[in-house]
Amino acid sequence: LSVLGNWFKVHKTTVLRWIFGLGLQIWPIISGWIQKQVKTKIACIDEKWIKIRGKWYYWFVVLDMETGLPILTSLLDSRGEWSCKWIGLQLKKLRQRPIAFITDGMAAYSYLKEVLGEGVKHLLCHFHHQQATSRWVRDHFKGNGSKEEEQVIKDITKELKNVLQTNDKRTVRRRLEKLKAKGETSETGKWVDNTEKELPKLLPAIGSKKFPKTNNDRCGFLGISTSSIKEDVAFSLWKVRRENSSVFW
């Protein structure tokens, strides 16, 4: 980008805006090619919140896990029930109904599963689940700031995260049963209960070559780190949505 900026005598972020603008304009053509060539078996779905002119929007992207190609993108006003149902309807309309889809655990994605119907597995990303476990421990075990208390919190976090760190499904169940029997604190018991409820979405990827454990390597591109670039992308998405709704709808 810096080299191109020097050639055109503009800042590198200006070049990036041109690239984004071009990409958004030709996306309807490219998406048609993708839909003809790619038959999605496993999809990973993620959303990025972006602020445009003082209002929050959510950029949903559905990627084919095998190729990493986007099969559906949409800029929506919310990330609730109807947004997820709409995405499911669009996937069916495109004839891209996967055998499984993997998400970060947002509650509303259960409505996507509802639309896609029986036979489609909803998987939870293990990376996001482990992140959520760390947050859960921080929220429920405050400590007093002493080294001893901090070590206790680290040990609890390690023990809870260790539940999924195996390639054997039976080991996962044994570790959960061990935690349940331990029953040292009611708070840990709540984590075990919540994780048991999510097991049908977590277990299929354990020891599996068919189902991935994470969607992070595919959907990580949504983590735009530079705020000015993120604003440029957001405004471009919003502008194209207004001028040509077929790009997103």
Side-chain angles (χ1 to χ4, degrees):
L1 290 178
S2 297
V3 173
L4 288 173
N6 290 334
W7 285 356
F8 291 104
K9 300 186 184 305
V10 296
H11 195 271
K12 62 181 179 180
T13 56
T14 301
V15 177
L16 190 60
R17 289 173 196 152
W18 293 345
I19 294 172
F20 279 134
L22 176 62
L24 289 168
Q25 291 297 329
I26 66 175
W27 168 245
I29 299 172
I30 294 175
S31 64
W33 296 342
I34 292 174
Q35 289 160 18
K36 289 179 181 179
Q37 299 295 325
V38 176
K39 180 59 179 176
T40 304
K41 294 181 179 179
I42 300 176
C44 57
I45 306 173
D46 205 357
E47 77 291 335
K48 180 71 178 180
W49 48 267
I50 46 181
K51 199 170 189 178
I52 307 172
R53 295 189 172 184
K55 182 178 179 180
W56 289 106
Y57 292 85
Y58 299 90
W59 181 23
F60 285 84
V61 179
V62 183
L63 299 178
D64 173 56
M65 196 70 192
E66 183 178 356
T67 63
L69 293 172
I71 56 175
L72 178 66
T73 67
S74 185
L75 186 67
L76 300 176
D77 298 343
S78 75
R79 56 174 184 170
E81 173 184 352
W82 294 107
S83 292
C84 291
K85 283 186 174 181
W86 185 89
I87 290 171
L89 289 171
Q90 292 304 303
L91 287 173
K92 291 174 73 174
K93 182 179 178 181
L94 294 171
R95 297 183 179 180
Q96 293 285 2
R97 182 175 178 267
I99 62 172
F101 65 94
I102 181 169
T103 72
D104 59 9
M106 186 177 74
Y109 281 126
S110 60
Y111 295 107
L112 174 60
K113 168 70 167 66
E114 182 181 311
V115 172
L116 292 177
E118 294 297 326
V120 178
K121 290 183 179 292
H122 180 190
L123 309 178
L124 291 185
C125 170
H126 286 211
F127 175 81
H128 286 93
H129 183 270
Q130 297 290 60
Q131 279 190 327
T133 296
S134 296
R135 289 195 299 270
W136 188 91
V137 173
R138 287 197 301 268
D139 291 340
H140 290 79
F141 297 90
K142 301 297 184 181
N144 56 18
S146 66
K147 290 184 178 180
E148 291 78 9
E149 286 290 333
E150 290 298 319
Q151 187 58 49
V152 168
I153 292 173
K154 286 181 181 180
D155 291 341
I156 292 173
T157 303
K158 183 178 179 180
E159 186 175 27
L160 298 186
K161 284 187 171 184
N162 189 52
V163 169
L164 293 179
Q165 292 173 351
T166 177
N167 289 320
D168 183 63
K169 293 178 174 62
R170 290 173 297 180
T171 300
V172 174
R173 295 187 183 279
R174 283 199 301 268
R175 288 173 178 174
L176 276 176
E177 288 299 326
K178 184 179 178 181
L179 281 172
K180 186 185 290 186
K182 203 172 181 180
E184 290 182 346
T185 66
S186 59
E187 296 295 346
T188 301
K190 291 178 181 178
W191 181 90
V192 172
D193 291 340
N194 291 335
T195 301
E196 279 189 320
K197 291 177 183 177
E198 301 290 0
L199 270 188
K201 301 175 185 177
L202 292 166
L203 276 183
I206 298 291
S208 173
K209 294 181 179 180
K210 182 178 181 181
F211 298 119
K213 286 186 177 182
T214 179
N215 64 358
N216 208 45
D217 57 339
R218 291 299 190 195
C219 293
F221 77 96
L222 284 172
I224 303 170
S225 58
T226 305
S227 59
S228 62
I229 294 175
K230 183 167 70 174
E231 291 170 4
D232 293 336
V233 174
F235 183 74
S236 297
L237 288 167
W238 176 78
K239 186 177 180 181
V240 174
R241 174 182 165 179
R242 289 190 62 187
E243 294 175 354
N244 186 356
S245 61
S246 64
V247 174
F248 296 99
W249 303 88

